[in-house]
Amino acid sequence: MKTFVLEIITPEKKVFSGEVVSVTVPGSNGEFQVLFNHAPITSTLEIGRVKIVVTEGQAPDLYACSGGVVEVHHNKVLILANTIEKMESIDLGRAETSLERAKKRLAEKGTGQVDVARAELSVRRAMNRISIVKR
């Protein structure tokens, strides 16, 4: 089984560091998978799911990512994420509350007191977190 090094870092901490079989990320032009000997690439990341396979045949680890950058070079993948949460640490109730709050803000967008872009991002992040937990 051929593996490569994966590191996931946020502004606050190193989230993951180790050998993996594959990682799938939400690239700006769509989801893509990185395997051993992948061609060099740098891409921005969108809000979406990061799937890590540490050992072949084992269930993947799922993470909710809120965007960032990924760099692949010489069997090393570096993900610099704005935020990223492992599925097991996502609080479903909190994510659902966040979604409702953001939807409520969007419903008030005609008042001129709502940052629509920020509210739309909040909706997307909450929906991503919810979909990962409910998979």
Side-chain angles (χ1 to χ4, degrees), residues 60-107:
D61 293 331
L62 301 178
Y63 292 78
C65 178
S66 68
V69 178
V70 61
E71 179 183 63
V72 179
H73 191 68
H74 293 301
N75 287 315
K76 181 171 182 183
V77 176
L78 175 61
I79 296 175
L80 301 173
N82 299 335
T83 63
I84 192 162
E85 295 174 87
K86 194 168 185 177
M87 180 182 72
E88 293 81 4
S89 68
I90 295 172
D91 181 336
L92 181 59
R94 184 171 169 239
E96 290 171 337
T97 300
S98 178
L99 176 61
E100 292 308 312
R101 188 174 47 249
K103 284 182 175 179
K104 184 178 177 185
R105 282 196 310 265
L106 280 177

Side-chain angles (χ1 to χ4, degrees), residues 23-34 38 41 43-49 70:
V23 62
T24 305
V25 296
S28 296
N29 292 323
E31 184 178 81
F32 66 93
Q33 182 181 44
V34 177
H38 194 285
I41 185 174
S43 174
T44 54
L45 297 176
E46 297 295 321
I47 294 169
R49 176 186 73 159
V70 61

